[in-house]
Amino acid sequence: MTAEKDFSSSSGTQHPKRLVFAPGDISGPADAEQETNTIKSAATHLVDDIARSGTSTPSSVMQQEIVSHPARAHQFVINPPLTIAQLHPTNPLHQFHKWFKDPRLPRSSAPETCTLATASLPSGRISARMLYFKELDERGWVIYSNWGSKEGKGQQIFGSGFASSADGNVPGGIHDSAALNEGNKWAALTFFWSTVERQVRIEGLIEPLSREESELYWRTRERGSQIGAWASWQSKVMWSASPESFPPPDELKDPDFDDGRNELEQRVKDAEARFADVENIPLPPFWGGIRVVPESVEFWQGRASRLHDRFRKIVALIEYKSTSESSV
């Protein structure tokens, strides 16, 4: 009999060993010290002077120029073939760490950028969002975010009952909601590094971090970022207009036109005043971390003629099984 680990907590008080902590927040080697000029760009575009039609249907001349252009499709030629012998034999986390630390990846390219995809239950509607992963440990990929909106994915991850607001009018907190064990446990992460023609796809289970773990990273953030987190009620509509009432172009170009930004800036001022005498700004109830514990990890490397190399590692997710199993 297989028993799932309680979704509401992390792996006990013993934190897993970190392989990467807060990439992007800690300065890496200067790009000038890297041989970035030797890196071929993976983005090849059509020439800028191709004639464009005035309609949505391209002209026959344009079609001919596109078809005859030798660089119409990018060719992947940077790396030698990827073989099993080049991959870590057992641990995809260590393999990811090796690729992430590739000296050909300039820190300025923000290789920690990834896409997090989740789905709502029971509808199954999927949403995806670009963000930064901040930690890689021996259990998975850790992401911190404001979860207080649909775009923040709070309800998808923590359950439909989760709600919280920066001004306190809507009470609640992710760490309390995580204990209810609702929401969708499954998520997917995708990393794409065009400069080295590589991609990593992760599918696995979401594990909310404890409040203690979230606070540990929260304390490393700059004060301005902490203020911004409190001030930003993520995805709250601050200005809207119907097609009938949409302002004319001249009004939109007016430097004094308010598209809702003034309200956000006022919220920042209010947060600054609120915490003016507070040395350590507290963790917002809607802000914290999750860990994506992998079930599968796919390593993809581009190859000429679209004959790409893909290797997928299925992870046992031992942490999610009871130590003693028996047949029922």
Side-chain angles (χ1 to χ4, degrees):
M1 178 180 178
T2 300
E4 286 192 343
K5 179 182 175 182
D6 182 3
F7 175 61
S8 64
S9 63
S10 297
S11 55
T13 57
Q14 189 69 29
H15 301 317
K17 179 182 177 181
R18 287 191 178 93
L19 304 175
V20 172
F21 180 75
D25 291 349
I26 299 175
S27 59
D31 290 345
E33 297 175 2
Q34 302 181 25
E35 297 180 359
T36 55
N37 292 333
T38 65
I39 301 174
K40 291 185 178 180
S41 173
T44 301
H45 303 282
L46 294 176
V47 289
D48 295 334
D49 58 350
I50 291 179
R52 297 291 178 180
S53 170
T55 67
S56 60
T57 303
S59 66
S60 59
V61 174
M62 175 185 173
Q63 289 175 333
Q64 182 61 37
E65 289 182 332
I66 290 176
V67 171
S68 63
H69 196 279
R72 62 182 180 274
H74 173 70
Q75 294 300 312
F76 295 84
V77 295
I78 290 178
N79 298 297
L82 180 65
T83 65
I84 295 178
Q86 298 172 26
L87 300 174
H88 193 283
T90 58
N91 195 323
L93 295 167
H94 286 265
Q95 179 61 42
F96 177 90
H97 181 253
K98 179 181 178 180
W99 274 16
F100 184 77
K101 292 296 185 180
D102 190 324
R104 298 176 301 163
L105 271 177
R107 297 298 98 184
S108 61
S109 70
E112 64 270 23
T113 306
C114 60
T115 299
L116 172 66
T118 57
S120 299
L121 294 177
S123 68
R125 294 191 63 171
I126 300 170
S127 67
R129 176 186 174 204
M130 300 294 292
L131 36 67
Y132 296 133
F133 100 95
K134 288 299 182 182
E135 296 174 32
L136 176 68
D137 59 37
E138 292 188 331
R139 284 184 57 75
W141 289 260
V142 175
I143 295 165
Y144 296 91
S145 183
N146 179 332
W147 306 102
S149 71
K150 176 182 180 297
E151 287 71 14
K153 299 181 178 292
Q155 292 191 355
Q156 292 180 334
I157 294 174
F158 302 106
S160 59
F162 169 71
S164 183
S165 66
D167 56 10
N169 290 333
V170 181
I174 63 169
H175 300 96
D176 297 329
S177 295
L180 299 177
N181 199 25
E182 298 175 348
N184 189 350
K185 300 180 183 181
W186 291 97
L189 284 175
T190 302
F191 293 82
F192 179 61
W193 301 313
S194 62
T195 53
V196 292
E197 298 178 344
R198 285 172 173 171
Q199 176 182 253
V200 181
R201 296 174 57 241
I202 302 116
E203 295 180 3
L205 292 170
I206 296 173
E207 182 179 78
L209 267 59
S210 66
R211 191 186 307 272
E212 175 193 4
E213 290 174 291
S214 293
E215 287 179 339
L216 178 63
Y217 171 68
W218 172 257
R219 290 196 297 270
T220 71
R221 289 170 63 90
E222 295 182 351
R223 187 177 180 89
S225 296
Q226 294 177 339
I227 291 290
W230 274 102
S232 177
W233 188 353
Q234 195 173 72
S235 299
K236 177 181 182 292
V237 177
M238 295 183 174
W239 180 86
S240 65
S242 64
E244 297 77 16
S245 62
F246 203 80
D250 291 344
E251 185 176 339
L252 293 174
K253 294 177 182 178
D254 188 335
D256 295 327
F257 178 79
D258 182 16
D259 59 359
R261 186 75 187 184
N262 289 345
E263 180 180 347
L264 176 60
E265 293 177 352
Q266 183 58 50
R267 291 179 63 83
V268 171
K269 294 178 182 178
D270 294 342
E272 289 174 339
R274 176 182 178 184
F275 298 113
D277 299 325
V278 178
E279 181 179 356
N280 296 315
I281 298 175
L283 178 74
F286 48 80
W287 200 98
I290 62 169
R291 179 185 290 109
V292 178
V293 181
E295 181 201 48
S296 68
V297 184
E298 179 187 273
F299 295 93
W300 175 98
Q301 186 167 280
R303 196 160 174 177
S305 301
R306 295 300 193 273
L307 300 175
H308 309 309
D309 294 316
R310 297 176 189 263
F311 291 94
R312 186 173 60 163
K313 173 66 176 176
I314 305 298
V315 185
L317 281 175
I318 297 174
E319 293 87 352
Y320 281 88
K321 294 183 179 180
S322 61
T323 55
S324 60
E325 297 185 356
S326 60
S327 299
V328 177

Coordinates of all heavy atoms in Angstrom, one line a residue, residues 18-78:
R18 N 20.9 22.5 -0.2 CA 20.7 23.4 -1.3 C 21.9 23.3 -2.3 O 23.0 23.1 -2.0 CB 20.7 24.9 -0.9 CG 19.4 25.3 -0.1 CD 19.4 26.8 0.0 NE 18.1 27.2 0.7 CZ 18.0 27.4 2.0 NH1 19.0 27.2 2.8 NH2 16.9 27.8 2.5
L19 N 21.5 23.3 -3.6 CA 22.5 23.3 -4.7 C 22.6 24.7 -5.3 O 23.7 25.1 -5.7 CB 22.0 22.3 -5.8 CG 21.8 20.8 -5.3 CD1 21.3 20.0 -6.4 CD2 23.1 20.2 -4.7
V20 N 21.5 25.4 -5.3 CA 21.5 26.8 -5.8 C 20.6 27.6 -4.9 O 19.5 27.1 -4.5 CB 20.9 26.9 -7.3 CG1 20.7 28.3 -7.7 CG2 21.8 26.1 -8.3
F21 N 21.0 28.8 -4.5 CA 20.2 29.7 -3.7 C 20.2 31.0 -4.3 O 21.2 31.7 -4.6 CB 20.8 29.8 -2.3 CG 20.0 30.7 -1.4 CD1 18.8 30.2 -0.8 CD2 20.4 31.9 -1.1 CE1 18.1 31.0 0.0 CE2 19.7 32.8 -0.2 CZ 18.5 32.3 0.3
A22 N 18.9 31.5 -4.5 CA 18.6 32.9 -5.0 C 19.4 33.3 -6.2 O 20.1 34.3 -6.2 CB 18.8 33.8 -3.8
P23 N 19.4 32.5 -7.3 CA 20.1 33.0 -8.5 C 19.5 34.3 -8.9 O 18.3 34.5 -8.9 CB 19.8 31.9 -9.5 CG 18.6 31.2 -9.0 CD 18.7 31.3 -7.5
G24 N 20.3 35.2 -9.4 CA 19.9 36.5 -9.8 C 19.9 37.6 -8.7 O 20.1 38.7 -9.0
D25 N 19.8 37.1 -7.5 CA 19.9 38.0 -6.3 C 21.4 38.2 -5.8 O 21.7 39.1 -5.2 CB 19.1 37.5 -5.1 CG 17.6 37.6 -5.4 OD1 17.2 38.3 -6.4 OD2 16.8 37.1 -4.7
I26 N 22.2 37.2 -6.2 CA 23.6 37.2 -5.8 C 24.4 37.3 -7.1 O 24.2 36.6 -8.0 CB 24.0 35.9 -5.1 CG1 23.1 35.7 -3.8 CG2 25.4 35.9 -4.7 CD1 23.3 34.4 -3.1
S27 N 25.3 38.3 -7.1 CA 26.0 38.6 -8.3 C 26.9 37.5 -8.7 O 27.6 36.9 -7.9 CB 26.9 39.9 -8.1 OG 27.8 39.6 -7.0
G28 N 26.8 37.1 -10.0 CA 27.6 36.0 -10.5 C 28.8 36.6 -11.2 O 29.1 37.8 -11.1
P29 N 29.6 35.8 -11.9 CA 30.7 36.3 -12.7 C 30.3 37.3 -13.7 O 29.3 37.2 -14.3 CB 31.3 35.0 -13.3 CG 30.1 34.1 -13.4 CD 29.3 34.4 -12.2
A30 N 31.1 38.3 -13.8 CA 30.8 39.4 -14.8 C 30.8 38.8 -16.2 O 31.6 38.0 -16.6 CB 31.9 40.5 -14.7
D31 N 29.8 39.3 -17.0 CA 29.7 38.9 -18.3 C 31.0 39.1 -19.2 O 31.3 38.3 -20.1 CB 28.5 39.5 -19.0 CG 27.2 39.1 -18.4 OD1 27.2 38.1 -17.7 OD2 26.2 39.8 -18.7
A32 N 31.7 40.1 -18.8 CA 32.9 40.4 -19.5 C 33.9 39.3 -19.4 O 34.8 39.2 -20.2 CB 33.5 41.8 -19.1
E33 N 33.9 38.6 -18.3 CA 34.8 37.5 -18.0 C 34.4 36.2 -18.7 O 35.1 35.3 -18.7 CB 34.9 37.3 -16.5 CG 35.4 38.5 -15.8 CD 35.4 38.3 -14.3 OE1 35.0 37.2 -13.8 OE2 35.8 39.2 -13.5
Q34 N 33.2 36.2 -19.3 CA 32.8 35.1 -20.0 C 33.0 35.3 -21.5 O 32.9 36.4 -22.0 CB 31.3 34.8 -19.7 CG 31.1 34.6 -18.2 CD 29.6 34.3 -18.0 OE1 28.9 33.8 -18.8 NE2 29.2 34.6 -16.8
E35 N 33.2 34.2 -22.2 CA 33.4 34.3 -23.7 C 32.0 34.3 -24.4 O 31.7 33.5 -25.2 CB 34.3 33.2 -24.2 CG 35.7 33.2 -23.5 CD 36.5 32.0 -24.0 OE1 36.0 31.2 -24.8 OE2 37.7 31.9 -23.7
T36 N 31.3 35.4 -24.0 CA 29.9 35.4 -24.6 C 29.9 35.7 -26.1 O 28.9 35.4 -26.8 CB 29.1 36.6 -23.9 OG1 29.8 37.8 -24.0 CG2 28.9 36.3 -22.4
N37 N 31.0 36.3 -26.6 CA 31.0 36.6 -28.0 C 31.2 35.3 -28.8 O 30.9 35.3 -30.0 CB 32.2 37.5 -28.3 CG 32.0 38.9 -27.8 OD1 30.9 39.3 -27.6 ND2 33.1 39.6 -27.5
T38 N 31.5 34.2 -28.2 CA 31.7 32.9 -28.9 C 30.4 32.1 -28.9 O 30.3 31.1 -29.5 CB 32.8 32.1 -28.2 OG1 32.4 31.7 -26.9 CG2 34.1 32.8 -28.2
I39 N 29.4 32.7 -28.2 CA 28.1 32.0 -28.1 C 27.2 32.4 -29.3 O 27.0 33.5 -29.6 CB 27.3 32.3 -26.8 CG1 28.2 31.9 -25.6 CG2 26.0 31.6 -26.8 CD1 27.6 32.4 -24.3
K40 N 26.8 31.4 -30.1 CA 25.9 31.7 -31.2 C 24.5 31.9 -30.7 O 24.0 31.2 -29.9 CB 25.9 30.5 -32.2 CG 27.2 30.3 -32.9 CD 27.0 29.2 -34.0 CE 28.3 29.0 -34.8 NZ 28.1 27.9 -35.8
S41 N 23.9 32.9 -31.2 CA 22.5 33.2 -30.9 C 21.6 32.1 -31.4 O 21.7 31.7 -32.6 CB 22.0 34.5 -31.4 OG 20.6 34.7 -31.2
A42 N 20.7 31.6 -30.6 CA 19.7 30.6 -31.1 C 18.5 31.2 -31.8 O 17.6 30.5 -32.2 CB 19.3 29.7 -29.9
A43 N 18.5 32.5 -31.8 CA 17.3 33.2 -32.4 C 17.8 33.7 -33.8 O 18.6 34.7 -33.8 CB 16.8 34.3 -31.6
T44 N 17.3 33.2 -34.9 CA 17.6 33.6 -36.2 C 16.3 34.1 -36.8 O 15.3 33.4 -36.9 CB 18.2 32.5 -37.1 OG1 19.3 32.0 -36.5 CG2 18.5 33.0 -38.5
H45 N 16.3 35.4 -37.2 CA 15.1 36.0 -37.7 C 15.2 36.2 -39.2 O 16.3 36.3 -39.8 CB 14.8 37.3 -37.0 CG 14.7 37.2 -35.5 ND1 13.6 36.7 -34.9 CD2 15.6 37.4 -34.6 CE1 13.8 36.6 -33.6 NE2 15.0 37.1 -33.4
L46 N 14.1 36.4 -39.9 CA 14.0 36.7 -41.3 C 14.6 38.1 -41.4 O 14.5 39.0 -40.5 CB 12.6 36.7 -41.8 CG 12.0 35.3 -41.8 CD1 10.5 35.4 -42.3 CD2 12.7 34.4 -42.8
V47 N 15.1 38.4 -42.6 CA 15.7 39.8 -42.8 C 14.6 40.8 -42.7 O 13.5 40.6 -43.0 CB 16.3 39.8 -44.3 CG1 17.6 39.0 -44.4 CG2 15.3 39.4 -45.3
D48 N 15.1 42.0 -42.2 CA 14.1 43.0 -41.8 C 13.5 43.7 -43.1 O 12.4 44.3 -43.0 CB 14.8 44.1 -41.0 CG 15.2 43.6 -39.7 OD1 14.6 42.6 -39.2 OD2 16.2 44.2 -39.1
D49 N 14.2 43.6 -44.2 CA 13.7 44.3 -45.4 C 12.7 43.5 -46.3 O 12.5 43.8 -47.4 CB 14.8 44.8 -46.2 CG 15.7 43.7 -46.7 OD1 15.6 42.5 -46.2 OD2 16.6 43.9 -47.5
I50 N 12.2 42.3 -45.7 CA 11.2 41.6 -46.5 C 10.0 42.4 -46.7 O 9.5 42.9 -45.7 CB 10.9 40.2 -45.9 CG1 12.1 39.3 -45.9 CG2 9.7 39.5 -46.5 CD1 11.9 37.9 -45.3
A51 N 9.5 42.5 -47.9 CA 8.3 43.3 -48.1 C 7.1 42.8 -47.3 O 6.9 41.6 -47.3 CB 8.0 43.4 -49.6
R52 N 6.4 43.7 -46.7 CA 5.2 43.3 -45.9 C 3.9 43.8 -46.6 O 3.9 44.9 -47.1 CB 5.2 43.9 -44.5 CG 6.4 43.4 -43.7 CD 6.2 41.9 -43.4 NE 7.4 41.4 -42.6 CZ 7.4 40.1 -42.2 NH1 6.5 39.3 -42.5 NH2 8.5 39.7 -41.5
S53 N 3.0 42.9 -46.7 CA 1.7 43.3 -47.3 C 0.9 44.2 -46.4 O 1.0 44.1 -45.2 CB 0.9 42.1 -47.7 OG -0.4 42.4 -48.0
G54 N 0.0 45.1 -46.9 CA -0.8 45.9 -46.1 C -2.0 45.2 -45.5 O -2.7 45.7 -44.7
T55 N -2.2 43.9 -45.9 CA -3.3 43.1 -45.3 C -2.7 42.0 -44.5 O -1.5 41.7 -44.5 CB -4.2 42.6 -46.5 OG1 -3.5 41.7 -47.2 CG2 -4.7 43.7 -47.3
S56 N -3.6 41.2 -43.9 CA -3.1 40.0 -43.2 C -2.7 38.9 -44.1 O -2.1 37.9 -43.6 CB -4.3 39.6 -42.2 OG -5.4 39.2 -43.0
T57 N -3.0 39.0 -45.4 CA -2.6 37.9 -46.3 C -1.3 38.3 -47.0 O -1.3 39.4 -47.7 CB -3.7 37.7 -47.3 OG1 -4.9 37.3 -46.7 CG2 -3.3 36.5 -48.3
P58 N -0.2 37.6 -46.9 CA 1.0 38.0 -47.5 C 0.9 37.9 -49.0 O 0.2 37.1 -49.6 CB 2.0 37.0 -47.0 CG 1.2 35.8 -46.6 CD -0.1 36.3 -46.1
S59 N 1.6 38.8 -49.7 CA 1.7 38.8 -51.1 C 2.5 37.6 -51.7 O 3.3 37.0 -51.0 CB 2.2 40.1 -51.7 OG 3.6 40.2 -51.3
S60 N 2.3 37.3 -52.9 CA 3.1 36.2 -53.5 C 4.5 36.5 -53.6 O 5.4 35.6 -53.4 CB 2.5 35.9 -55.0 OG 2.7 37.1 -55.8
V61 N 4.9 37.8 -53.7 CA 6.3 38.2 -53.7 C 6.9 37.9 -52.4 O 8.0 37.4 -52.2 CB 6.4 39.7 -54.1 CG1 7.9 40.1 -54.0 CG2 5.9 39.9 -55.5
M62 N 6.1 38.3 -51.3 CA 6.6 38.1 -50.0 C 6.8 36.6 -49.7 O 7.8 36.2 -49.1 CB 5.6 38.7 -49.0 CG 6.0 38.4 -47.5 SD 4.7 39.1 -46.4 CE 5.3 38.4 -44.8
Q63 N 5.8 35.8 -50.1 CA 5.9 34.4 -49.9 C 7.1 33.8 -50.5 O 7.8 33.0 -50.0 CB 4.6 33.7 -50.4 CG 3.3 34.0 -49.6 CD 2.1 33.4 -50.2 OE1 2.0 33.3 -51.5 NE2 1.1 33.1 -49.4
Q64 N 7.4 34.2 -51.8 CA 8.6 33.7 -52.5 C 9.8 34.1 -51.8 O 10.8 33.3 -51.6 CB 8.6 34.3 -53.9 CG 9.7 33.7 -54.8 CD 9.7 32.2 -54.9 OE1 8.6 31.6 -55.0 NE2 10.8 31.6 -54.9
E65 N 9.9 35.3 -51.2 CA 11.1 35.7 -50.5 C 11.3 34.9 -49.2 O 12.4 34.6 -48.9 CB 11.1 37.2 -50.3 CG 11.2 38.1 -51.5 CD 11.2 39.6 -51.2 OE1 10.5 39.9 -50.2 OE2 11.8 40.4 -51.9
I66 N 10.2 34.7 -48.5 CA 10.3 33.9 -47.3 C 10.8 32.5 -47.6 O 11.7 32.0 -46.9 CB 8.9 33.9 -46.6 CG1 8.6 35.3 -46.0 CG2 8.9 32.9 -45.4 CD1 7.3 35.4 -45.4
V67 N 10.1 31.9 -48.6 CA 10.5 30.5 -48.9 C 11.9 30.3 -49.4 O 12.6 29.3 -49.1 CB 9.5 29.9 -49.9 CG1 9.9 28.5 -50.4 CG2 8.1 29.8 -49.3
S68 N 12.4 31.3 -50.1 CA 13.7 31.2 -50.7 C 14.8 31.6 -49.8 O 16.0 31.4 -50.1 CB 13.8 32.1 -52.0 OG 13.6 33.4 -51.7
H69 N 14.4 32.2 -48.6 CA 15.4 32.7 -47.7 C 16.1 31.5 -47.0 O 15.4 30.6 -46.4 CB 14.8 33.6 -46.7 CG 15.8 34.4 -45.9 ND1 16.6 33.9 -44.9 CD2 16.3 35.7 -46.1 CE1 17.4 34.8 -44.4 NE2 17.2 35.9 -45.2
P70 N 17.4 31.4 -47.1 CA 18.1 30.2 -46.5 C 18.0 30.0 -45.0 O 18.2 29.0 -44.5 CB 19.6 30.4 -47.0 CG 19.7 31.8 -47.2 CD 18.4 32.3 -47.7
A71 N 17.7 31.1 -44.3 CA 17.7 31.1 -42.8 C 16.3 31.1 -42.3 O 16.0 31.6 -41.2 CB 18.5 32.2 -42.2
R72 N 15.3 30.6 -43.1 CA 13.9 30.7 -42.7 C 13.6 29.8 -41.4 O 12.7 30.1 -40.7 CB 13.0 30.3 -43.8 CG 13.2 28.8 -44.3 CD 12.2 28.5 -45.4 NE 12.4 27.2 -45.9 CZ 13.2 26.8 -46.8 NH1 14.1 27.6 -47.3 NH2 13.3 25.5 -47.2
A73 N 14.5 28.8 -41.2 CA 14.3 28.0 -40.0 C 15.6 27.9 -39.3 O 16.6 27.5 -39.9 CB 13.8 26.6 -40.3
H74 N 15.6 28.2 -38.0 CA 16.9 28.1 -37.2 C 17.4 26.7 -37.2 O 16.7 25.8 -37.0 CB 16.7 28.7 -35.8 CG 17.9 28.5 -34.9 ND1 19.0 29.2 -35.1 CD2 18.1 27.6 -33.9 CE1 19.9 28.8 -34.2 NE2 19.4 27.9 -33.4
Q75 N 18.7 26.6 -37.4 CA 19.4 25.3 -37.3 C 20.2 25.2 -36.0 O 20.9 26.1 -35.7 CB 20.3 25.0 -38.5 CG 19.5 24.9 -39.8 CD 18.5 23.8 -39.8 OE1 18.8 22.7 -39.4 NE2 17.3 24.0 -40.3
F76 N 20.0 24.1 -35.3 CA 20.7 23.9 -34.0 C 22.0 23.2 -34.3 O 22.1 22.0 -34.6 CB 19.8 23.1 -33.1 CG 18.5 23.7 -32.8 CD1 17.4 23.6 -33.6 CD2 18.4 24.5 -31.6 CE1 16.2 24.3 -33.3 CE2 17.2 25.1 -31.3 CZ 16.1 25.0 -32.1
V77 N 23.1 24.0 -34.1 CA 24.4 23.5 -34.4 C 25.5 23.7 -33.4 O 26.7 23.5 -33.6 CB 24.9 24.1 -35.8 CG1 24.0 23.6 -36.9 CG2 24.9 25.6 -35.7
I78 N 25.1 24.3 -32.2 CA 26.1 24.7 -31.2 C 26.7 23.5 -30.5 O 27.9 23.4 -30.3 CB 25.4 25.6 -30.1 CG1 25.1 27.0 -30.8 CG2 26.3 25.8 -28.9 CD1 24.4 27.9 -29.8

